[in-house]
Amino acid sequence: MEPYKVYEIKQSIFQANDDQADQLRQELKQQHTFLLNLMSSPGSGKTTTLTRTIEALRDEMRIGIMEADIDSDVDAAKIARTGTRVIQLHTGGMCHLDADMTRQGLQEFGTEDLDLVVLENVGNLVCPAEFDTGAVKNAMILSVPEGHDKPLKYPLIFQVCDALIINKIDVLPYFDFDLEKVREFAHMRNPNLKIFPVSAKTGEGIEAWCDWLRQQVGAWNNAASPSGLG
Amino acid sequence: MEPYKVYEIKQSIFQANDDQADQLRQELKQQHTFLLNLMSSPGSGKTTTLTRTIEALRDEMRIGIMEADIDSDVDAAKIARTGTRVIQLHTGGMCHLDADMTRQGLQEFGTEDLDLVVLENVGNLVCPAEFDTGAVKNAMILSVPEGHDKPLKYPLIFQVCDALIINKIDVLPYFDFDLEKVREFAHMRNPNLKIFPVSAKTGEGIEAWCDWLRQQVGAWNNAASPSGLG
């Protein structure tokens, strides 16, 4: 017998927005724009990782950043300092973006001339994972101080992501964080998940992550060309 | 002119559950049970902080823990090892608990003989702050690696909380975290917020936090007595 009871609270219904997401991907393909949806907990280092990513890729492709936040501009202000095109989306209290909100953001931003748009989703491991934003690929950041058990506790986000960035590896010596365990737990959820240990602070590991992203953007934008729309 | 655009996405309507929360508090008062709603990001150390809190208070009061998680039992298993009564609530994908879900949990748990129940809410700085659970007091944990800018980015949770635990102060030397700045930002949101810097790992600062909690529980449970229901 378990030493505690488990009680299932009734589940609420999330409205499916999969059709809208598929349609948005179709439009992005036509305009040769790759949209990456980047998710994580608050404080995992999304903005710093993005800044490093921009530095590594800005000479090869035209990049735009969509910052989604409850109601602050902290992240957009940071990104703007890199000279990159950025728009701040305010979700008005909402904990995630759905496909329609993402399309609103993209239209307002004007992304026709961009090769790569990164959507920095609201800092939250739960709700953003529930809604397909229409992004071509999903990536998440898990930082060392958060602990290696997170794939056990937040399974869905690990399932829906294509890439997992393990950030803040520079502080590994100060935390009980087992890199092998997190790989094992994450691959239990999603055997195809690509894992990139990085330190956005020191730059370690950023190149491998950027190589993967470069390949994804190239494959999407080139595959779009033969359709005659490019 | 701002170097970036700010675009307000239409706000969805959250259903008010304030009446249900008030009624639940009324019931808790009648049975002399103090309910603390504990919120934080994933990986901030809620469970470890709870374990320390239980150790400090278990000889003075009867404690029960309600763990709310998407669908894992990781935290309940940890708490059960302390010998404390614990129930695991599965939210079935939901990112928060509302007053009705909290009442369902309390009824299933059976809390009449408990002095203090701690609800460990879903790890998330956004949604749990939107819904009054019916708790007597709200507390949150912010951990050092998350950064001192969080009160700027997640204002509501700092507004609704009575106490803020700053956890993982043992790793302050390895992070750009300014304890004075976080105090300033948090008090901008909520001048009455009590702030407790702690290390759940080493035990530093736990006593001050427990003193505050002890006072709150005593005030609630004693104030309930004169009503003649105790």
Side-chain angles (χ1 to χ4, degrees):
Chain A
M1 211 188 84
E2 292 285 351
Y4 49 84
K5 249 180 167 173
V6 173
Y7 179 65
E8 313 284 337
I9 291 174
K10 62 181 187 306
Q11 178 154 15
S12 79
I13 310 300
F14 291 98
Q15 278 193 305
N17 79 144
D18 292 358
D19 291 348
Q20 284 180 303
D22 285 339
Q23 201 193 320
L24 180 53
R25 262 186 296 275
Q26 207 53 35
E27 292 164 16
L28 289 166
K29 191 142 196 147
Q30 284 173 13
Q31 69 175 44
H32 295 208
T33 300
F34 182 97
L35 176 64
L36 177 76
N37 175 29
L38 184 62
M39 299 178 282
S40 84
S41 286
S44 67
K46 278 198 296 302
T47 312
T48 312
T49 304
L50 264 184
T51 304
R52 286 278 183 188
T53 305
I54 290 166
E55 280 167 15
L57 298 177
R58 68 191 316 165
D59 294 338
E60 308 165 35
M61 54 182 88
R62 296 160 299 175
I63 303 175
I65 308 292
M66 290 210 302
E67 293 290 342
D69 253 306
I70 306 301
D71 71 356
S72 83
D73 303 352
V74 176
D75 294 335
K78 256 189 229 163
I79 295 292
R81 286 198 285 273
T82 69
T84 306
R85 267 178 61 189
V86 60
I87 185 171
Q88 178 76 54
L89 308 183
H90 283 171
T91 63
M94 290 284 284
C95 51
H96 67 274
L97 291 183
D98 59 22
D100 180 53
M101 293 154 90
T102 304
R103 177 193 271 107
Q104 288 183 52
L106 289 167
Q107 280 177 350
E108 191 65 22
F109 197 15
T111 53
E112 305 73 21
D113 59 340
L114 295 176
D115 302 305
L116 167 64
V117 175
V118 184
L119 167 61
E120 188 179 324
N121 215 314
V122 181
N124 183 328
L125 293 188
V126 186
C127 323
E130 305 274 358
F131 293 88
D132 188 343
T133 56
V136 182
K137 296 283 173 184
N138 294 305
M140 68 173 287
I141 303 181
L142 175 71
S143 63
V144 163
E146 294 171 60
H148 56 245
D149 62 348
K150 292 301 160 290
L152 303 177
K153 298 186 62 182
Y154 302 91
L156 186 62
I157 195 164
F158 291 86
Q159 281 164 33
V160 302
C161 278
D162 303 285
L164 164 63
I165 297 171
I166 315 261
N167 192 22
K168 306 192 188 178
I169 57 169
D170 53 293
V171 295
L172 271 170
Y174 314 114
F175 289 89
D176 306 323
F177 185 94
D178 188 326
L179 211 47
E180 284 318 300
K181 276 230 174 78
V182 82
R183 277 180 200 277
E184 182 195 326
F185 295 158
H187 283 144
M188 266 168 48
R189 297 301 179 196
N190 179 357
N192 299 318
L193 190 64
K194 302 287 177 206
I195 301 181
F196 302 100
V198 313
S199 164
K201 195 172 174 182
T202 69
E204 190 183 346
I206 290 290
E207 204 42 47
W209 151 248
C210 287
D211 280 345
W212 178 85
L213 184 55
R214 186 183 286 120
Q215 276 172 24
Q216 303 300 318
V217 175
W220 177 258
N221 291 354
N222 291 335
S225 288
S227 72
L229 296 158
Chain B
M1 210 185 85
E2 291 286 350
Y4 50 84
K5 247 177 165 174
V6 173
Y7 179 65
E8 313 284 336
I9 290 174
K10 63 184 183 306
Q11 179 154 14
S12 79
I13 310 299
F14 292 97
Q15 277 192 305
N17 80 143
D18 292 358
D19 290 349
Q20 285 179 301
D22 284 340
Q23 202 192 322
L24 181 52
R25 260 186 297 275
Q26 208 52 35
E27 292 165 18
L28 288 165
K29 190 141 197 148
Q30 284 172 14
Q31 70 175 44
H32 295 208
T33 300
F34 181 96
L35 176 64
L36 177 76
N37 175 30
L38 184 61
M39 300 177 281
S40 84
S41 286
S44 67
K46 278 198 296 301
T47 313
T48 312
T49 304
L50 264 184
T51 305
R52 286 279 182 186
T53 304
I54 290 166
E55 282 167 13
L57 298 177
R58 68 192 315 164
D59 294 339
E60 309 165 34
M61 54 183 89
R62 298 161 297 176
I63 304 174
I65 308 290
M66 291 210 302
E67 292 288 342
D69 252 307
I70 306 301
D71 71 355
S72 83
D73 302 354
V74 176
D75 293 336
K78 256 188 230 163
I79 295 291
R81 285 197 286 274
T82 69
T84 306
R85 267 178 61 190
V86 60
I87 185 172
Q88 178 75 54
L89 307 183
H90 282 170
T91 62
M94 288 286 284
C95 50
H96 66 275
L97 291 183
D98 59 23
D100 181 54
M101 294 156 91
T102 304
R103 177 193 271 107
Q104 287 182 52
L106 289 166
Q107 280 177 350
E108 191 66 20
F109 197 16
T111 53
E112 304 73 21
D113 59 340
L114 295 175
D115 303 306
L116 167 64
V117 176
V118 185
L119 166 61
E120 188 180 324
N121 214 314
V122 180
N124 183 327
L125 293 189
V126 185
C127 323
E130 305 274 357
F131 292 88
D132 187 343
T133 58
V136 183
K137 296 283 174 183
N138 296 306
M140 69 173 286
I141 303 181
L142 174 71
S143 63
V144 164
E146 294 171 60
H148 56 246
D149 62 348
K150 292 300 161 289
L152 303 179
K153 297 185 63 180
Y154 302 92
L156 186 62
I157 195 164
F158 290 86
Q159 282 164 31
V160 301
C161 278
D162 303 286
L164 164 63
I165 297 172
I166 313 263
N167 192 21
K168 308 192 187 179
I169 57 168
D170 52 294
V171 295
L172 270 171
Y174 313 115
F175 289 90
D176 305 322
F177 185 96
D178 188 326
L179 210 47
E180 283 318 298
K181 276 230 172 80
V182 82
R183 280 182 199 278
E184 181 194 328
F185 294 156
H187 282 144
M188 264 168 49
R189 297 301 180 195
N190 178 357
N192 299 318
L193 191 65
K194 302 286 177 208
I195 301 181
F196 302 100
V198 314
S199 165
K201 195 171 174 181
T202 68
E204 188 182 347
I206 290 289
E207 205 41 49
W209 152 247
C210 287
D211 280 346
W212 179 84
L213 184 55
R214 186 184 286 116
Q215 276 172 23
Q216 303 301 317
V217 174
W220 178 258
N221 291 354
N222 290 335
S225 288
S227 71
L229 295 158

